[in-house]
Amino acid sequence: MQRGVLAGYPVVDVASTVLDGKEHPVDSSEMAFKIAARQAFKDAMRNAGPILLEPIMSLTVLVQASYLGDIMSDLSSKRGRILGQSSLANGIEEIRALAPGKELLKYAIDLRSITSGTGSFEMNFDHYEPVTGKIAEEIIAQSVQVSESDD
């Protein structure tokens, strides 16, 4: 479960039940049971339709009103979802959004660039969401390349 079958990431939210098993004095060992369990897990996961999950971050951005449109566009380009906006004192706008953590790795640099160093933000983990489509395919392809280079 520490190295999932899709891209090598840990598997979460799984429950299993062993329905049957036998012990034989000659062939049964702790290692034999571990190997059998590992293979059964891999087989079950391949047939279960596993999905990749990505962390979604909650983001609060404070910017001058003149930068509002640029910030909204930038967040949208990062697969962000704008949750709301409110006007604060002195022409400051607060934007609340959710965005994938991967897209926000260099957000401090991007925000500084867009706002000439006047914007600020706060980011916290919110939840996980499924990764689908082309992005999921790219992650899986990358993990295959890495595992092949390890061999």
Side-chain angles (χ1 to χ4, degrees):
M1 287 181 63
Q2 293 301 313
R3 280 196 52 124
V5 296
L6 279 183
Y9 293 105
V11 176
V12 296
D13 298 334
V14 171
S16 63
T17 303
V18 176
L19 298 175
D20 191 17
K22 292 183 181 180
E23 181 178 355
H24 188 271
V26 175
D27 298 331
S28 296
S29 68
E30 181 180 350
M31 183 55 71
F33 282 107
K34 285 182 178 181
I35 292 169
R38 185 179 303 127
Q39 190 58 45
F41 178 76
K42 284 181 180 179
D43 291 344
M45 285 301 295
R46 285 189 182 101
N47 294 323
I51 57 172
L52 290 175
L53 298 174
E54 70 179 331
I56 302 297
M57 308 303 283
S58 170
L59 186 68
T60 302
V61 184
L62 299 174
V63 296
Q64 294 174 355
S66 59
Y67 297 114
L68 184 62
D70 293 336
I71 295 299
M72 298 275 230
S73 292
D74 183 59
L75 287 172
S76 292
S77 74
K78 295 178 182 334
R79 299 187 290 138
R81 289 189 310 252
I82 307 298
L83 300 177
Q85 149 199 352
S86 52
S87 297
L88 305 177
N90 300 323
I92 301 296
E93 296 290 327
E94 177 186 67
I95 304 161
R96 293 171 312 284
L98 294 174
K102 178 185 177 196
E103 303 288 343
L104 300 174
L105 292 176
K106 297 179 181 178
Y107 192 67
I109 295 167
D110 296 341
L111 182 64
R112 189 177 314 127
S113 174
I114 294 169
T115 65
S116 302
T118 61
S120 66
F121 74 100
E122 182 178 299
M123 179 172 38
N124 295 301
F125 171 77
D126 194 76
H127 64 282
Y128 287 101
E129 281 186 5
V131 181
T132 59
K134 188 174 183 174
I135 296 170
E137 291 170 8
E138 290 171 1
I139 293 169
I140 293 168
Q142 267 184 334
S143 74
V144 169
Q145 289 174 350
V146 169
S147 67
E148 287 174 354
S149 68
D150 289 345
D151 292 338

